[in-house]
Amino acid sequence: PPPTAEPAPGGPPASVHTPAETQLNPFSDALADHGRVTEMLTPTTHHHHHRGRHTASEGDVSDTEMEDDDDDGDRPVSPNMAAIAQRAAHSPHRFAASAQLFEMEPRSRVNRFVKDEEGCVDMADSAGADGASLHTSPGSRPATAGFVAATSPMLGAAAPPAQPVRSASANSGSASGGNNTAGGAAASTTSPGVSASQAMMGAPSGSLTELPATGDSLAFLGKAGTGFSLNAEAPPEGSTSVENEADRESREAIIRRLRGTQHLSMLPRAELEALAAHLRVLMPKRDDILLEHNAVCNGCYIILRGKVAVFRPSATVSGKFDSQWWLGRGDMFGFDFVIVAARSQRRFQAMSEDCVIGFMDHHTLFKLIRRNPPVAHSIARKMSEDMSAFKVFKEYARQVFAPTTDHARSVIMWRQLLEKFGKINNGIYPEMHAAELDTGAWTYALRRLPDNITQSHVVELSKAPPPMMASLMRKLSAEYDQNPNAPARPATHDGRVRYVGCKVRRRPSYQLGNGKTLVLLRDSTTDLIDFTSCMCVHMNESEKLRNRLLNQSDPSLIPRLNSHLGKMSKDDISKFLESFPFSKSERTGLVNLWGENTVRCIFDIVTTRRDDLLIRVDLRAFRRFYRTPSSIFASNIKHEILRRLGLPQDGDLPDNIIIDIISSNAHSVKNLLSPFPRTKRDAIMAFAKEKCTHDCELDWHNREDLLYYVLSKYVSSDETARHEFGESWLKTGLTAIEQTAMTGLEVDVVDVRDIDAAHVDGFLQPAAKAATERLRSPYAAPHFIVNLDFPFGAQAESVMKSLSHTFGSKIRSMNVMGKGGGLVGKRGDLQFPTHVLYSKSSVPYDDFVDELRACGQQDISPQMLHDMTGGTRGIHVGPVVTIAGTMSQNSKLLRFYKNLWGCVGMEMEGSYFARALRECTEQGVLRPDIKTRFLYYTSDTPLQSSEESLAAGMTPTEGVPSSYSISRAFLHAILSDELGPVGTDL
């Protein structure tokens, strides 16, 4: 394989895996910048037949054993194949006598079957480019240098293709008259050749022996009376299939019908020929059920002739079905269920005697999608408009943004919003409808809400503070920025206005008297969706807890809680809660959630009804005359650079100054460039051996990462060390700007001239020495690195535009680090995006056209990251999708973007950065050759087990090495760039 591989939009997610999980993907459409891996999808001339034995139990993963079987004497034949063979024996045209041809599979394959939480079966497959399987045992390494591009596609069910089910004509649910009545349930008899496991997987449960044995059923496919005959025997090894004139004419007719299909009309001739060779032709009788409701679909159905009726379950009568619409020639169905690995939501039933269906198994469907971006985009557009997974998000967004009769403010109607939120089926909150408390999801939500939320009765959400209180609130915010860990929050002398902290979201909030809280949103969309989503979790869990306690009808409940409102130890609280109707796990979760304030918070929830909470959204107030926080934020950075250069605060920056911007966490750049970790290494490691014994025993590929992990604990434990740590920044050209201007973003400004190159991170020392040597010239341009903390969602666009307007063409590069959910791989892996894809799933209006923007990725490569991590991390190459919030996704939506767009991950800021960069570049604000780099590390895997969700924290060896590897890559590219002065010639 080539050293790197990146798929084009619509292609599969390419990945770089560790040797133990290497898979070769021959269907990646790589970008020219990083090589190309391709394979023509052509008809197979050598037919090998396999038997598969799948013995994995629920939740287990096992390889399907595939064996070559040259003797078909004892080979089990599917009911449809038996029916076709029987019909062919009585047909003068020998229609489709070769069951072997229709059951033709790729020559070899490595299959893995995984049952998900819905009982559906996902399959990840790979086949070598030359048709040979790539079997890799644990610890084995392919005999190739570097890394290989690979994918982990979430395929559909791996059962044999589904066949029509013969239904009872008196109870078929047909809408066409005759002996059928709309709404009837299907009754079928199980064919002797079909196992229960096959039936569960959507395999046929009815016999096809009743199909007409006439030879002219498919005469329309060729010239009149020619029929459709194929070779009865598979050709021997090394020979070529021989096709007579009737075969060719019939195949041409199939190709013409395929070209008239909506999503296949754009396919080139070669692809249509290959698809026709892999199609299985079904000839159901009228009223045969092609795909039953709630069955697992394992392929795509193409109507070549006739009509198919679509029925949905009756909303009023259980077990009945209502007619919904008709499908005709050229229509396709079933592909959407395969792509999102969901069970069928409808019943599909043949409604004409001459119905002919082409069936494309899921292997062929996914290969077709991967190799042909137009097909992927066509299907994606259709699914985004029709799929329920998109509709539930849009309905939720409309409820959030819907105005009320009060035009100045929008009051959130919680009952309606909770109903919409409950339909999302978010992966972080799987127990929403369960009676038990979901303290894991509740903890996740409360960490993103104001600390006083259980004591708030009125919450005001606004983009700006009231004009008469703006200066006071800025003062309180500045005091909080200077000491965010202080036990007491900044407040006015009378305590009526108090700053309210938030553990995770750096969202300014203020308590205005008793029971009222003002929350300043950082943007008008993603921050509002995030806040309301977390509030939905809090409101729902509070209702569970309140109902649990009040339904006991215990008159002593309130007095008992009231008598224990003082702070108590966790052990005392746990013992006190034993007298309440909580399980042991619920008691533990509640104590971990609120600690010493557990009883107080329970008391607040019990004594406050959900209807008593009023939340108002006011996104328009004061905006006309209000200077945005991001504008003040950018000006503060400019003033610090002017100060470091010895220039007046109201002056201009030099024309030739070079500014590189990094968006990452608040500690990695600082620790990599500071000499403190190196000069105090012995003291830090001695502290680690004494206080962090378990962490030292973990597998750290780069021991410097262990040093950085322990550093924060070491500095926090010693006031002297904390002071020395801060002093080391100033001596090496690093300044931390504590004033966040109500953005919540910390900033580090680094003067590259003052870096102590001999004491930076070992990987960066050669580049740092070269950079500082260049800057010693009296003619060298000033060079600064600006590292800003993670913005949140759409806040990134506002921040990026403000920085662009402030520094303009002086910005040489923009480097974006983020943490995202992995659609492939495992936690701690790295995502190397080729593009960022803005999902319109949560916009409240009917816009389904997602926006795709390329990532520059200059001076970095997957190979660089692979070498830097020593192969201990998977490097996944492909698009990443930008979603509106961590709660604004579910498994169907993520599989849609994984399987159709080839996305390797999801995140919340990339598209906003990319959109601002593109607009400012096209408008001449930024230089045309600005370098852009985007890298993400996987913090959770939402399509895998709940143990790796966002609600479960990352281990030290999962998060620290990944984030520091990205920061090293960015700093190495910046310090190695020898580009001269900029700005004067633009």
Side-chain angles (χ1 to χ4, degrees):
T4 57
E6 302 177 9
S15 309
V16 180
H17 291 286
T18 56
E21 56 181 7
T22 301
Q23 293 179 327
L24 191 63
N25 170 33
F27 303 108
S28 298
D29 288 331
L31 294 180
D33 292 345
H34 298 286
R36 187 172 296 273
V37 181
T38 59
E39 178 188 15
M40 292 299 296
L41 181 63
T42 55
T44 306
T45 56
H46 304 294
H47 303 168
H48 294 257
H49 316 291
H50 307 287
R51 285 199 302 253
R53 298 193 299 271
H54 179 221
T55 58
S57 60
E58 181 72 21
D60 293 335
V61 179
S62 66
D63 289 339
T64 300
E65 302 177 16
M66 310 298 291
E67 299 178 356
D68 287 343
D69 189 2
D70 295 327
D71 182 7
D72 289 339
D74 60 347
R75 185 173 184 269
V77 181
S78 67
N80 188 56
M81 294 300 99
I84 291 176
Q86 180 177 351
R87 186 190 317 158
H90 297 84
S91 171
H93 302 289
R94 298 171 56 245
F95 161 67
S98 175
Q100 302 167 353
L101 176 62
F102 284 109
E103 293 203 338
M104 179 177 64
E105 288 288 331
R107 171 167 180 166
S108 54
R109 187 178 303 281
V110 181
N111 293 336
R112 289 166 56 112
F113 297 87
V114 183
K115 281 191 176 180
D116 67 8
E117 68 279 0
E118 300 177 358
C120 301
V121 176
D122 295 328
M123 183 181 71
D125 77 316
S126 63
D130 59 351
S133 298
L134 179 62
H135 295 278
T136 56
S137 59
S140 66
R141 180 184 294 271
T144 55
F147 59 88
V148 298
T151 62
S152 301
M154 189 66 69
L155 301 185
Q163 312 296 338
V165 178
R166 294 294 296 133
S167 63
S169 60
N171 195 28
S172 65
S174 169
S176 62
N179 296 329
N180 305 316
T181 58
S188 60
T189 57
T190 303
S191 171
V194 183
S195 66
S197 62
Q198 286 175 323
M200 179 197 73
M201 296 296 300
S205 57
S207 172
L208 289 180
T209 57
E210 302 174 23
L211 289 178
T214 59
D216 58 353
S217 297
L218 283 182
F220 79 99
L221 292 176
K223 294 181 179 180
T226 60
F228 187 7
S229 64
L230 294 172
N231 298 317
E233 302 294 337
E237 281 286 341
S239 66
T240 304
S241 298
V242 179
E243 198 172 44
N244 60 28
E245 184 66 22
D247 294 338
R248 286 190 292 271
E249 292 176 351
S250 299
R251 192 176 301 278
E252 285 297 319
I254 290 181
I255 292 174
R256 288 195 297 271
R257 290 299 172 92
L258 294 176
R259 193 176 290 281
T261 303
Q262 176 184 357
H263 304 303
L264 307 178
S265 60
M266 69 288 293
L267 285 176
R269 171 76 186 190
E271 296 282 7
L272 289 173
E273 290 179 350
L275 177 57
H278 283 74
L279 274 187
R280 177 177 295 183
V281 179
L282 308 177
M283 299 175 59
K285 292 185 66 175
R286 182 187 177 114
D287 299 332
D288 281 352
I289 297 177
L290 298 165
L291 180 60
E292 180 59 281
H293 170 258
N294 205 36
V296 175
C297 182
N298 48 44
C300 173
Y301 298 79
I302 306 171
I303 303 177
L304 300 177
R305 186 173 68 184
K307 292 183 178 181
V308 172
V310 184
F311 298 90
R312 61 184 173 187
S314 174
T316 57
V317 182
S318 177
K320 301 294 183 179
F321 290 82
D322 299 330
S323 177
Q324 191 169 13
W325 64 79
W326 294 80
L327 300 176
R329 191 178 75 184
D331 289 330
M332 297 170 57
F333 62 91
F335 57 87
D336 47 349
F337 305 130
V338 175
I339 288 171
V340 300
R343 294 181 179 273
S344 172
Q345 303 300 307
R346 301 287 186 267
R347 170 187 286 177
F348 298 85
Q349 190 166 346
M351 299 308 296
S352 58
E353 293 292 347
D354 61 344
C355 195
V356 180
I357 307 294
F359 182 84
M360 183 195 322
D361 65 69
H362 62 278
H363 295 290
T364 305
L365 174 62
F366 276 98
K367 290 178 182 179
L368 195 69
I369 289 173
R370 293 169 181 172
R371 288 192 42 78
N372 298 275
V375 174
H377 293 179
S378 177
I379 293 177
R381 178 61 183 271
K382 178 65 174 176
M383 290 184 62
S384 62
E385 293 178 354
D386 300 340
M387 195 169 69
S388 60
F390 280 87
K391 292 179 180 178
V392 295
F393 293 119
K394 288 189 177 291
E395 290 175 358
Y396 176 78
R398 290 189 183 106
Q399 188 68 38
V400 170
F401 294 102
T404 62
T405 55
D406 183 358
H407 295 289
R409 288 172 176 159
S410 176
V411 178
I412 293 180
M413 311 303 291
W414 280 109
R415 292 194 181 278
Q416 292 88 331
L417 189 65
L418 274 173
E419 180 183 352
K420 304 294 185 184
F421 182 77
K423 295 179 180 180
I424 293 178
N425 295 322
N426 183 271
I428 298 177
Y429 192 23
E431 304 298 328
M432 177 175 181
H433 303 289
E436 295 76 16
L437 297 178
D438 189 346
T439 54
W442 203 357
T443 300
Y444 177 87
L446 285 179
R447 287 172 58 83
R448 287 151 179 82
L449 295 172
D451 293 338
N452 68 336
I453 194 64
T454 61
Q455 302 174 15
S456 298
H457 305 288
V458 179
V459 179
E460 296 272 2
L461 303 176
S462 178
K463 278 279 292 180
M468 301 299 294
M469 302 181 66
S471 59
L472 173 62
M473 290 183 173
R474 290 194 186 98
K475 177 177 178 295
L476 296 178
S477 178
E479 292 177 4
Y480 174 79
D481 290 339
Q482 292 177 356
N483 192 6
N485 297 319
R489 298 292 185 241
T492 57
H493 66 279
D494 58 1
R496 299 188 64 181
V497 180
R498 182 183 304 276
Y499 189 93
V500 179
C502 180
K503 294 180 176 61
V504 174
R505 298 284 186 253
R506 295 180 295 275
R507 185 189 294 125
S509 303
Y510 305 88
Q511 180 178 318
L512 309 177
N514 291 328
K516 185 174 182 178
T517 301
L518 172 67
V519 178
L520 298 184
L521 299 175
R522 293 163 292 181
D523 67 83
S524 302
T525 53
T526 54
D527 210 14
L528 179 57
I529 289 178
D530 177 77
F531 185 90
T532 55
S533 300
C534 292
M535 277 298 300
C536 283
V537 178
H538 171 58
M539 297 288 283
N540 193 63
E541 293 302 309
S542 297
E543 191 81 350
K544 289 183 186 179
L545 186 147
R546 185 184 303 110
N547 292 339
R548 178 88 62 85
L549 297 181
L550 295 182
N551 288 342
Q552 302 297 313
S553 300
D554 182 2
S556 65
L557 172 65
I558 302 300
R560 279 195 295 154
L561 290 172
N562 188 54
S563 63
H564 290 78
L565 292 183
K567 289 189 176 181
M568 303 166 58
S569 67
K570 290 186 177 181
D571 292 338
D572 291 340
I573 293 174
S574 297
K575 186 175 181 180
F576 173 68
L577 293 181
E578 290 179 358
S579 61
F580 294 90
F582 297 126
S583 66
K584 182 178 180 181
S585 61
E586 289 176 333
R587 291 196 301 270
T588 302
L590 291 173
V591 174
N592 292 336
L593 180 58
W594 286 304
E596 297 176 347
N597 297 316
T598 300
V599 179
R600 159 64 69 180
C601 293
I602 293 176
F603 179 83
D604 293 336
I605 290 172
V606 171
T607 56
T608 303
R609 294 182 305 170
R610 179 173 64 181
D611 294 338
D612 293 337
L613 179 62
L614 176 65
I615 297 186
R616 291 194 293 258
V617 182
D618 185 4
L619 301 180
R620 293 168 290 179
F622 326 123
R623 293 182 65 182
R624 180 178 299 178
F625 308 104
Y626 179 66
R627 187 182 179 189
T628 61
S630 59
S631 175
I632 302 174
F633 170 80
S635 296
N636 290 346
I637 299 175
K638 176 184 176 181
H639 294 159
E640 176 59 26
I641 294 176
L642 288 171
R643 187 190 69 80
R644 293 301 301 257
L645 293 174
L647 299 175
Q649 293 290 287
D650 58 351
D652 295 328
L653 291 170
D655 290 336
N656 65 343
I657 190 173
I658 298 173
I659 296 177
D660 292 289
I661 301 176
I662 302 176
S663 173
S664 69
N665 53 49
H667 55 81
S668 58
V669 170
K670 197 177 298 182
N671 292 342
L672 288 169
L673 297 180
S674 172
F676 186 84
R678 260 66 57 184
T679 57
K680 296 291 184 178
R681 178 189 298 273
D682 294 340
I684 296 172
M685 294 310 298
F687 173 85
K689 292 179 181 179
E690 179 182 355
K691 303 292 184 181
C692 310
T693 305
H694 174 71
D695 298 327
C696 294
E697 295 174 352
L698 298 176
D699 184 17
W700 298 87
H701 168 71
N702 188 336
R703 298 295 290 182
E704 293 285 290
D705 294 337
L706 171 62
L707 184 70
Y708 301 137
Y709 172 71
V710 177
L711 176 61
S712 61
K713 298 182 178 182
Y714 172 76
V715 172
S716 300
S717 66
D718 190 332
E719 183 66 29
T720 302
R722 183 160 54 250
H723 177 74
E724 292 178 354
F725 188 37
E727 287 294 322
S728 70
W729 303 344
L730 300 176
K731 294 179 182 179
T732 54
L734 191 150
T735 304
I737 302 178
E738 297 177 346
Q739 301 298 327
T740 67
M742 303 178 76
T743 62
L745 303 179
E746 300 179 23
V747 182
D748 298 323
V749 178
V750 181
D751 189 343
V752 179
R753 295 176 300 179
D754 296 334
I755 289 178
D756 184 358
H759 292 91
V760 299
D761 181 83
F763 180 81
L764 299 174
Q765 285 185 10
K769 290 178 180 178
T772 52
E773 284 292 333
R774 291 195 301 270
L775 291 172
R776 288 177 183 173
S777 168
Y779 304 103
H783 184 193
F784 285 84
I785 299 174
V786 176
N787 179 61
L788 55 105
D789 206 349
F790 295 121
F792 183 80
Q795 184 190 26
E797 185 167 13
S798 175
V799 169
M800 189 67 247
K801 286 186 175 180
S802 295
L803 292 171
S804 300
H805 298 157
T806 301
F807 299 109
S809 60
K810 300 173 179 62
I811 300 177
R812 182 175 66 173
S813 70
M814 182 66 207
N815 307 265
V816 179
M817 177 217 286
K819 61 179 180 179
L823 304 185
V824 294
K826 61 184 184 301
R827 293 200 303 189
D829 285 354
L830 301 180
Q831 301 170 22
F832 190 97
T834 58
H835 301 78
V836 286
L837 176 66
Y838 176 52
S839 170
K840 299 283 186 69
S841 59
S842 293
V843 297
Y845 44 88
D846 290 335
D847 183 358
F848 300 97
V849 182
D850 296 337
E851 299 174 5
L852 187 73
R853 294 179 176 87
C855 302
Q857 307 298 47
Q858 295 91 344
D859 306 324
I860 58 175
S861 68
Q863 182 67 59
M864 174 185 180
L865 296 173
H866 179 266
D867 295 342
M868 189 185 301
T869 59
T872 60
R873 309 278 148 169
I875 315 296
H876 305 285
V877 180
V880 296
V881 59
T882 303
I883 59 175
T886 54
M887 293 286 185
S888 298
Q889 47 85 12
N890 58 25
S891 60
K892 291 182 180 179
L893 186 80
L894 298 182
R895 287 189 177 109
F896 169 85
Y897 284 110
K898 175 184 177 182
N899 291 329
L900 282 180
W901 284 94
C903 292
V904 299
M906 65 170 185
E907 50 83 49
M908 290 185 59
E909 295 83 24
S911 291
Y912 297 107
F913 272 120
R915 182 162 63 186
L917 287 165
R918 181 172 179 177
E919 289 181 4
C920 291
T921 301
E922 291 179 348
Q923 294 169 1
V925 177
L926 296 174
R927 52 184 301 165
D929 59 345
I930 184 173
K931 298 185 177 183
T932 58
R933 308 178 182 102
F934 293 76
L935 292 174
Y936 299 88
Y937 65 92
T938 300
S939 60
D940 63 298
T941 53
L943 290 179
Q944 298 181 20
S945 66
S946 58
E947 296 179 356
E948 292 193 0
S949 71
L950 275 174
M954 300 182 70
T955 65
T957 53
E958 286 177 333
V960 175
S962 300
S963 60
Y964 275 84
S965 295
I966 294 176
S967 294
R968 287 187 182 98
F970 286 163
L971 288 172
H972 184 272
I974 290 171
L975 296 174
S976 301
D977 196 337
E978 299 184 6
L979 184 64
V982 300
T984 55
D985 57 336
L986 296 179

